[in-house]
């Protein structure tokens, strides 16, 4: 017990005085039960958020109560002309709204997110108006969203604001299920395609991930929102602007060790 206490003290110090030892530029980790901040680093600095945007997009789609069985078709308007990112959804591909939501979240399919916004009740303009209203309702005062995918560097926020988004998103069963799914096979234009989770830790032994969304652009770096269960306790982390996936992964592992030391008390 004394050894555990000493380990806890070590990581408690790391969570406060030595937050700079974590490589990602912005980090916020919260104990969900108590709401206490376990680790904080530049949590109020504004930065691009890449595909973390898609959590907000998914919330708006679900809130609209549009049927998940409706067929949606990818159009030329959904092709990324800003970053020229690749996609496994060709123009003309048709999936249900529910399937589009699944791969927008799990596999971060930009064309799926764009198609969902275009098919929002009332159209794209109504989607953007709903996005602004949702950001305001969540109290995300340092957040600006200009499009639904996260490809634009003008989609910006802070780790503190994104923690509010994560907390709200975790209340949606569809979002929890989609983002914690390891893979999904869908029939796209006469062939089956297997889509995988962009978070390689999902489904791995020893990891109980309840909510996950990754993101990357050159401006945003490697980003992550993740809620996980450790020692029967929930914790949520926001990681922004990691230099590489390996940097993000190293910080995740170190955060998990910190949480294990804190929760195993």
């Amino acid at each position: 017990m004394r050894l555990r206490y000493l380990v806890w003290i070590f990581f408690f110090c790391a969570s406060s005085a030595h937050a700079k030892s974590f490589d990602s530029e912005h980090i916020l980790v919260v104990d969900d039960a108590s709401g206490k901040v376990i680790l904080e680093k530049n949590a109020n600095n504004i930065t691009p958020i890449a595909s973390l945007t898609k959590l907000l997009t998914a919330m708006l789609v679900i809130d609209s109560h549009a049927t998940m069985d409706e067929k949606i078709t990818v159009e030329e308007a959904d092709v990324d002309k800003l970053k020229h990112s690749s996609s496994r959804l060709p123009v003309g591909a048709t999936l249900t709204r529910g399937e589009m939501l699944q791969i927008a979240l799990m596999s971060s399919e930009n064309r799926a997110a764009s198609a969902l916004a275009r098919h929002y009740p009332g159209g794209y303009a109504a989607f953007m108006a709903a996005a602004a209203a949702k950001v305001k309702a969540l109290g995300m005062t340092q957040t600006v969203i200009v499009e639904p995918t996260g490809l634009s560097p003008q989609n910006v926020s802070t780790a503190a604001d994104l923690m509010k988004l994560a907390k709200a998103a975790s209340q949606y069963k569809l979002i929890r299920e989609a983002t914690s799914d390891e893979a999904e096979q869908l029939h796209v234009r006469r062939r089956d395609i297997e889509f995988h989770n962009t978070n390689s830790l999902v489904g791995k032994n020893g990891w109980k991930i309840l909510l996950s969304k990754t993101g990357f652009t050159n401006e945003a770096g490697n980003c992550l929102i993740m809620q996980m269960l450790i020692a029967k306790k929930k914790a949520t982390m926001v990681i922004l602007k990691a230099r590489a996936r390996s940097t993000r992964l190293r910080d995740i592992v170190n955060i998990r060790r910190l949480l294990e030391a804190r929760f195993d008390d």
Side-chain angles (χ1 to χ4, degrees), residues 8 11-12 15-16 19 27-41 43-44 159-160 163 235-236 258-259 262-263:
W8 183 87
F11 280 108
F12 177 80
S15 70
S16 53
I27 300 175
L28 185 60
V29 183
V30 170
D31 177 341
D32 287 357
S34 66
K36 291 182 179 179
V37 173
I38 298 172
L39 175 68
E40 181 174 4
K41 178 182 178 183
N44 294 300
M163 187 61 71
T236 301
L258 187 157
L259 291 169
R262 183 182 183 94
F263 291 160

CSV table of all heavy atoms in Angstrom, one decimal, residues 8 11-12 15-16 19 27-41 43-44 159-160 163 235-236 258-259 262-263:
chain,number,residue,atom,x,y,z
A,8,TRP,N,1.3,7.1,-6.5
A,8,TRP,CA,0.3,8.1,-6.7
A,8,TRP,C,0.8,9.5,-6.5
A,8,TRP,O,0.6,10.4,-7.3
A,8,TRP,CB,-0.8,7.8,-5.7
A,8,TRP,CG,-2.0,8.7,-5.9
A,8,TRP,CD1,-3.0,8.6,-6.7
A,8,TRP,CD2,-2.2,10.0,-5.2
A,8,TRP,NE1,-3.9,9.7,-6.6
A,8,TRP,CE2,-3.4,10.6,-5.7
A,8,TRP,CE3,-1.4,10.7,-4.3
A,8,TRP,CZ2,-3.8,11.8,-5.3
A,8,TRP,CZ3,-1.9,12.0,-3.9
A,8,TRP,CH2,-3.1,12.5,-4.4
A,11,PHE,N,2.8,10.5,-9.6
A,11,PHE,CA,2.1,10.9,-10.7
A,11,PHE,C,1.2,12.1,-10.5
A,11,PHE,O,0.9,12.9,-11.4
A,11,PHE,CB,1.2,9.7,-11.2
A,11,PHE,CG,2.0,8.8,-12.0
A,11,PHE,CD1,2.3,7.5,-11.5
A,11,PHE,CD2,2.4,9.1,-13.3
A,11,PHE,CE1,3.0,6.6,-12.3
A,11,PHE,CE2,3.1,8.2,-14.1
A,11,PHE,CZ,3.4,6.9,-13.6
A,12,PHE,N,0.8,12.3,-9.2
A,12,PHE,CA,0.1,13.6,-8.9
A,12,PHE,C,1.0,14.8,-9.2
A,12,PHE,O,0.6,15.8,-9.7
A,12,PHE,CB,-0.3,13.6,-7.4
A,12,PHE,CG,-1.0,14.8,-7.0
A,12,PHE,CD1,-2.3,15.0,-7.3
A,12,PHE,CD2,-0.3,15.8,-6.3
A,12,PHE,CE1,-3.0,16.2,-7.0
A,12,PHE,CE2,-1.0,17.0,-6.0
A,12,PHE,CZ,-2.3,17.2,-6.3
A,15,SER,N,1.2,15.4,-12.7
A,15,SER,CA,0.0,16.0,-13.3
A,15,SER,C,-0.1,17.5,-13.1
A,15,SER,O,-0.9,18.2,-13.8
A,15,SER,CB,-1.3,15.3,-12.7
A,15,SER,OG,-1.4,15.8,-11.3
A,16,SER,N,0.7,18.0,-12.2
A,16,SER,CA,0.6,19.5,-12.0
A,16,SER,C,2.0,20.1,-12.3
A,16,SER,O,2.1,20.8,-13.4
A,16,SER,CB,0.3,19.7,-10.5
A,16,SER,OG,1.2,19.0,-9.7
A,19,ALA,N,3.6,18.9,-16.0
A,19,ALA,CA,2.7,18.7,-17.1
A,19,ALA,C,3.5,18.9,-18.4
A,19,ALA,O,3.2,18.3,-19.5
A,19,ALA,CB,1.5,19.7,-17.1
A,27,ILE,N,-3.3,19.6,-23.4
A,27,ILE,CA,-3.8,18.4,-22.8
A,27,ILE,C,-4.8,18.7,-21.6
A,27,ILE,O,-4.5,19.7,-20.9
A,27,ILE,CB,-2.7,17.5,-22.2
A,27,ILE,CG1,-1.7,17.0,-23.3
A,27,ILE,CG2,-3.3,16.2,-21.5
A,27,ILE,CD1,-0.5,16.2,-22.8
A,28,LEU,N,-5.9,18.0,-21.5
A,28,LEU,CA,-6.7,18.1,-20.4
A,28,LEU,C,-7.3,16.7,-20.1
A,28,LEU,O,-7.8,16.0,-21.0
A,28,LEU,CB,-7.9,19.1,-20.7
A,28,LEU,CG,-8.8,19.4,-19.5
A,28,LEU,CD1,-8.0,20.0,-18.3
A,28,LEU,CD2,-10.0,20.3,-19.9
A,29,VAL,N,-7.1,16.3,-18.8
A,29,VAL,CA,-7.6,15.0,-18.4
A,29,VAL,C,-8.5,15.2,-17.1
A,29,VAL,O,-8.1,15.9,-16.2
A,29,VAL,CB,-6.5,14.0,-18.0
A,29,VAL,CG1,-7.0,12.7,-17.6
A,29,VAL,CG2,-5.5,13.9,-19.2
A,30,VAL,N,-9.7,14.6,-17.1
A,30,VAL,CA,-10.6,14.9,-16.1
A,30,VAL,C,-11.2,13.5,-15.5
A,30,VAL,O,-11.5,12.6,-16.3
A,30,VAL,CB,-11.8,15.7,-16.6
A,30,VAL,CG1,-12.9,15.8,-15.5
A,30,VAL,CG2,-11.3,17.2,-16.9
A,31,ASP,N,-11.3,13.4,-14.2
A,31,ASP,CA,-12.0,12.3,-13.6
A,31,ASP,C,-13.5,12.6,-13.7
A,31,ASP,O,-14.0,13.6,-13.2
A,31,ASP,CB,-11.6,12.3,-12.1
A,31,ASP,CG,-12.3,11.2,-11.3
A,31,ASP,OD1,-13.3,10.7,-11.7
A,31,ASP,OD2,-11.8,10.9,-10.2
A,32,ASP,N,-14.2,11.7,-14.5
A,32,ASP,CA,-15.6,12.0,-14.8
A,32,ASP,C,-16.5,12.1,-13.6
A,32,ASP,O,-17.4,12.9,-13.5
A,32,ASP,CB,-16.1,11.0,-15.8
A,32,ASP,CG,-15.5,11.2,-17.2
A,32,ASP,OD1,-14.7,12.1,-17.4
A,32,ASP,OD2,-15.8,10.4,-18.1
A,33,ALA,N,-16.2,11.2,-12.6
A,33,ALA,CA,-17.1,11.1,-11.5
A,33,ALA,C,-17.0,12.4,-10.6
A,33,ALA,O,-18.1,12.9,-10.2
A,33,ALA,CB,-16.7,9.9,-10.6
A,34,SER,N,-15.9,12.9,-10.4
A,34,SER,CA,-15.7,14.0,-9.5
A,34,SER,C,-15.6,15.4,-10.3
A,34,SER,O,-15.8,16.4,-9.7
A,34,SER,CB,-14.4,13.9,-8.7
A,34,SER,OG,-13.3,13.9,-9.5
A,35,GLY,N,-15.3,15.3,-11.5
A,35,GLY,CA,-15.1,16.5,-12.3
A,35,GLY,C,-13.7,17.1,-12.1
A,35,GLY,O,-13.4,18.2,-12.6
A,36,LYS,N,-12.9,16.5,-11.3
A,36,LYS,CA,-11.6,17.1,-10.9
A,36,LYS,C,-10.6,16.9,-12.1
A,36,LYS,O,-10.6,15.9,-12.8
A,36,LYS,CB,-11.0,16.4,-9.7
A,36,LYS,CG,-11.7,16.7,-8.4
A,36,LYS,CD,-11.1,16.0,-7.2
A,36,LYS,CE,-11.8,16.3,-5.9
A,36,LYS,NZ,-11.2,15.7,-4.8
A,37,VAL,N,-9.8,18.0,-12.3
A,37,VAL,CA,-8.8,18.0,-13.3
A,37,VAL,C,-7.6,17.2,-12.8
A,37,VAL,O,-7.0,17.5,-11.8
A,37,VAL,CB,-8.3,19.4,-13.7
A,37,VAL,CG1,-7.1,19.4,-14.7
A,37,VAL,CG2,-9.5,20.2,-14.3
A,38,ILE,N,-7.2,16.2,-13.6
A,38,ILE,CA,-6.1,15.3,-13.2
A,38,ILE,C,-4.8,15.8,-13.9
A,38,ILE,O,-3.7,15.8,-13.3
A,38,ILE,CB,-6.3,13.9,-13.6
A,38,ILE,CG1,-7.5,13.3,-12.8
A,38,ILE,CG2,-5.1,13.0,-13.3
A,38,ILE,CD1,-8.0,12.0,-13.3
A,39,LEU,N,-4.9,16.3,-15.1
A,39,LEU,CA,-3.7,16.8,-15.8
A,39,LEU,C,-4.2,18.0,-16.7
A,39,LEU,O,-5.2,17.9,-17.4
A,39,LEU,CB,-3.1,15.7,-16.7
A,39,LEU,CG,-2.0,16.1,-17.6
A,39,LEU,CD1,-0.7,16.5,-16.8
A,39,LEU,CD2,-1.6,15.0,-18.6
A,40,GLU,N,-3.4,19.0,-16.8
A,40,GLU,CA,-3.8,20.2,-17.6
A,40,GLU,C,-2.5,20.8,-18.2
A,40,GLU,O,-1.5,21.0,-17.5
A,40,GLU,CB,-4.5,21.2,-16.7
A,40,GLU,CG,-5.0,22.5,-17.6
A,40,GLU,CD,-5.8,23.4,-16.7
A,40,GLU,OE1,-6.0,23.1,-15.5
A,40,GLU,OE2,-6.3,24.4,-17.3
A,41,LYS,N,-2.6,21.1,-19.4
A,41,LYS,CA,-1.4,21.7,-20.1
A,41,LYS,C,-2.0,22.6,-21.2
A,41,LYS,O,-2.6,22.1,-22.2
A,41,LYS,CB,-0.4,20.7,-20.7
A,41,LYS,CG,0.7,21.3,-21.4
A,41,LYS,CD,1.6,20.2,-22.0
A,41,LYS,CE,2.8,20.8,-22.8
A,41,LYS,NZ,3.7,19.8,-23.4
A,43,ALA,N,-4.6,24.3,-21.6
A,43,ALA,CA,-6.0,23.8,-21.9
A,43,ALA,C,-6.9,24.9,-22.4
A,43,ALA,O,-8.0,24.7,-22.9
A,43,ALA,CB,-6.6,23.2,-20.7
A,44,ASN,N,-6.4,26.2,-22.3
A,44,ASN,CA,-7.3,27.3,-22.7
A,44,ASN,C,-6.7,28.0,-23.9
A,44,ASN,O,-7.2,29.1,-24.3
A,44,ASN,CB,-7.4,28.3,-21.5
A,44,ASN,CG,-8.3,27.7,-20.4
A,44,ASN,OD1,-9.4,27.3,-20.6
A,44,ASN,ND2,-7.7,27.6,-19.2
A,159,ALA,N,-8.8,22.8,-25.4
A,159,ALA,CA,-9.0,21.6,-24.7
A,159,ALA,C,-10.1,21.7,-23.7
A,159,ALA,O,-10.9,20.7,-23.5
A,159,ALA,CB,-7.7,21.1,-24.1
A,160,ALA,N,-10.2,22.8,-23.1
A,160,ALA,CA,-11.2,23.0,-22.1
A,160,ALA,C,-12.6,23.0,-22.7
A,160,ALA,O,-13.6,22.4,-22.2
A,160,ALA,CB,-11.0,24.4,-21.4
A,163,MET,N,-13.5,19.5,-23.8
A,163,MET,CA,-14.0,18.6,-22.7
A,163,MET,C,-15.5,18.7,-22.6
A,163,MET,O,-16.1,17.8,-22.2
A,163,MET,CB,-13.2,19.0,-21.4
A,163,MET,CG,-13.5,18.1,-20.3
A,163,MET,SD,-13.0,16.3,-20.6
A,163,MET,CE,-11.2,16.5,-20.5
A,235,ALA,N,-12.6,8.2,-17.1
A,235,ALA,CA,-11.9,9.5,-17.2
A,235,ALA,C,-11.9,9.9,-18.7
A,235,ALA,O,-11.9,9.0,-19.6
A,235,ALA,CB,-10.4,9.2,-16.7
A,236,THR,N,-11.8,11.1,-18.9
A,236,THR,CA,-11.9,11.7,-20.3
A,236,THR,C,-10.6,12.5,-20.5
A,236,THR,O,-10.2,13.3,-19.7
A,236,THR,CB,-13.1,12.5,-20.5
A,236,THR,OG1,-14.3,11.7,-20.3
A,236,THR,CG2,-13.1,13.0,-22.0
A,258,LEU,N,-0.8,7.4,-15.2
A,258,LEU,CA,-1.2,8.4,-14.2
A,258,LEU,C,-2.6,8.0,-13.6
A,258,LEU,O,-2.7,8.1,-12.4
A,258,LEU,CB,-1.2,9.8,-14.9
A,258,LEU,CG,-1.4,11.0,-14.0
A,258,LEU,CD1,-0.8,12.2,-14.7
A,258,LEU,CD2,-2.9,11.3,-13.7
A,259,LEU,N,-3.5,7.7,-14.5
A,259,LEU,CA,-4.9,7.4,-14.0
A,259,LEU,C,-4.9,6.1,-13.2
A,259,LEU,O,-5.6,6.0,-12.1
A,259,LEU,CB,-5.8,7.2,-15.2
A,259,LEU,CG,-6.1,8.5,-16.0
A,259,LEU,CD1,-6.8,8.2,-17.2
A,259,LEU,CD2,-6.9,9.5,-15.1
A,262,ARG,N,-3.7,6.9,-9.8
A,262,ARG,CA,-4.7,7.7,-9.0
A,262,ARG,C,-5.9,6.9,-8.6
A,262,ARG,O,-6.3,7.0,-7.5
A,262,ARG,CB,-5.1,8.9,-9.9
A,262,ARG,CG,-6.1,9.8,-9.2
A,262,ARG,CD,-6.5,10.9,-10.1
A,262,ARG,NE,-7.4,11.9,-9.4
A,262,ARG,CZ,-7.0,13.0,-8.8
A,262,ARG,NH1,-5.7,13.3,-8.8
A,262,ARG,NH2,-7.8,13.8,-8.1
A,263,PHE,N,-6.4,6.0,-9.5
A,263,PHE,CA,-7.6,5.3,-9.2
A,263,PHE,C,-7.3,4.0,-8.4
A,263,PHE,O,-8.3,3.5,-7.8
A,263,PHE,CB,-8.3,4.9,-10.5
A,263,PHE,CG,-8.8,6.1,-11.3
A,263,PHE,CD1,-9.1,6.0,-12.6
A,263,PHE,CD2,-9.1,7.3,-10.7
A,263,PHE,CE1,-9.7,7.0,-13.3
A,263,PHE,CE2,-9.6,8.3,-11.3
A,263,PHE,CZ,-9.9,8.2,-12.7
